Amino acid sequence: MAEPAAGLPLPAALVAAAEAEGRAGWLATLPGTVARLARVWSLTVEAPFAPGGRTAWVAPARDRTGAERVLKVGWRHPEAEHEADGLRAWAGRGAVRLRAAERTADTSALLLERCRPGTPLAAVPESEQDEVVAGLLRRLWIAPPAGSGFRPLQEMCELWADEFAQRLAAFPDVVDPGLARAGMELFRALPADADRAVLLVTDLHAGNVLAARREPWLVIDPKPYVGDPAYDATQHLLNCAERLHADPAGLPARMADLLEVDPVRLRRWLFARCVQEAPGDPPLADVARRLPLD
């Protein structure tokens, strides 16, 4: 479809999240936004990828030359505020290339390189995923460009710790109070005492890495902040749930070795993240208890 209209296909997950989280008004404007971007960027836009995400409408497209692209039109939210800036900074080294971007009060739109064949890293064994994730992160950890305006990791951690406190107040029996206190104290303290600050992906896991032709694997959907590189392995570790529960000390030790980061700091970050995620995934509290912090 060259100009999407009111009949724009909307993935069920996007609709459900918008309705549940008070974004129905934004969702109602989405067809017009996609149609306008298709005109401005001279795109022929296809049906969105399935199953789709909760905050963005993402679809394959072709530009006026016939080159394959991906159009991503998302609700503007804090974690993804600097996605376009991060992709510009990385300039295609380990991440998809940004072709165009636009931001309004409630919407962030990106025109991206399309990865072919586009197979998710999740399709390969997790032990191979460890090596790919580590290799990508080591390349992506660059000094933030001067004047780039990336937010510090401390800001994200403070926000998440405040949200955790609210959830715990509503459901006080979900996480042991002592464990909750220790986890959030670390979550707030770790960003401040790091001896190195780099541009982080913060949400790097096997679902956000796709097979490509110009490089074996490319990162999509980064959520950039600046801070301690030891943090950046945590989402991948949490996603490797079976191995993490089986060996909560050995798995982070392997990633620390692959990433060449301080294993103690990585274990402490993982402890804090396990506690932070425990209200929605209670078995992570047991992982946190079993993690050596020294």
Side-chain angles (χ1 to χ4, degrees):
M1 53 181 180
E3 288 194 12
L8 183 76
L10 297 175
L14 181 64
V15 173
E19 293 176 348
E21 297 168 16
R23 299 195 297 273
W26 173 82
L27 192 67
T29 68
L30 185 59
T33 301
V34 172
R36 180 182 59 79
L37 290 168
R39 291 192 300 272
V40 171
W41 289 339
S42 301
L43 301 175
T44 299
V45 184
E46 301 174 20
F49 293 108
R54 295 171 52 85
T55 61
W57 188 92
V58 186
R62 288 185 182 270
D63 65 17
R64 69 178 69 192
T65 71
E68 290 190 298
R69 301 288 182 245
V70 170
L71 177 62
K72 179 177 181 180
V73 185
W75 169 66
R76 187 173 171 181
H77 60 101
E79 289 174 29
E81 181 70 11
H82 291 288
E83 180 176 356
D85 301 316
L87 293 174
R88 286 192 192 96
W90 288 312
R93 297 182 295 272
V96 292
R97 288 189 173 120
L98 178 69
R99 299 300 183 181
E102 178 186 289
R103 193 160 56 187
T104 64
D106 61 1
T107 300
S108 175
L110 306 176
L111 186 63
L112 304 166
E113 164 188 15
R114 184 170 184 184
C115 295
R116 287 291 197 177
T119 308
L121 181 59
V124 309
E126 284 188 3
S127 59
E128 294 179 35
Q129 293 177 25
D130 296 344
E131 297 179 8
V132 172
V133 165
L136 287 168
L137 284 176
R138 288 199 307 270
R139 294 182 65 202
L140 294 166
W141 288 341
I142 62 174
S148 54
F150 291 107
R151 295 162 298 172
L153 182 62
Q154 182 84 55
E155 185 174 316
M156 186 187 80
C157 292
E158 294 286 353
L159 175 64
W160 285 10
D162 289 345
E163 291 175 347
F164 174 86
Q166 293 170 6
R167 293 200 305 272
L168 204 63
F171 304 98
D173 298 328
V174 173
V175 182
D176 174 78
L179 188 69
R181 183 170 55 254
M184 290 306 98
E185 285 177 354
L186 263 182
F187 207 42
R188 294 182 191 273
L190 281 167
D193 63 10
D195 61 5
R196 183 182 174 202
V198 298
L199 187 57
L200 303 174
V201 181
T202 76
D203 190 28
L204 184 55
H205 56 82
N208 281 351
V209 179
L210 301 181
R213 291 184 183 132
R214 65 177 181 84
E215 291 190 13
W217 300 98
L218 292 172
V219 170
I220 62 169
D221 200 26
K223 297 174 177 61
Y225 283 81
V226 172
D228 184 0
Y231 173 86
D232 242 358
T234 58
Q235 191 59 56
H236 171 65
L237 292 169
L238 290 170
N239 281 30
C240 297
E242 185 174 337
R243 288 195 299 156
L244 181 60
H245 285 270
D247 190 2
L251 183 57
R254 167 175 164 78
M255 287 305 299
D257 183 59
L258 289 170
L259 289 165
E260 301 178 358
V261 299
D262 182 347
V264 174
R265 289 194 68 84
L266 179 50
R267 286 197 302 270
R268 290 177 176 178
W269 272 119
L270 183 59
F271 170 82
R273 282 295 313 274
C274 284
V275 172
Q276 181 248 339
E277 296 284 348
D281 188 357
L284 284 175
D286 179 63
V287 174
R289 292 187 188 95
R290 296 161 59 201
L291 270 167
L293 298 184
D294 297 312

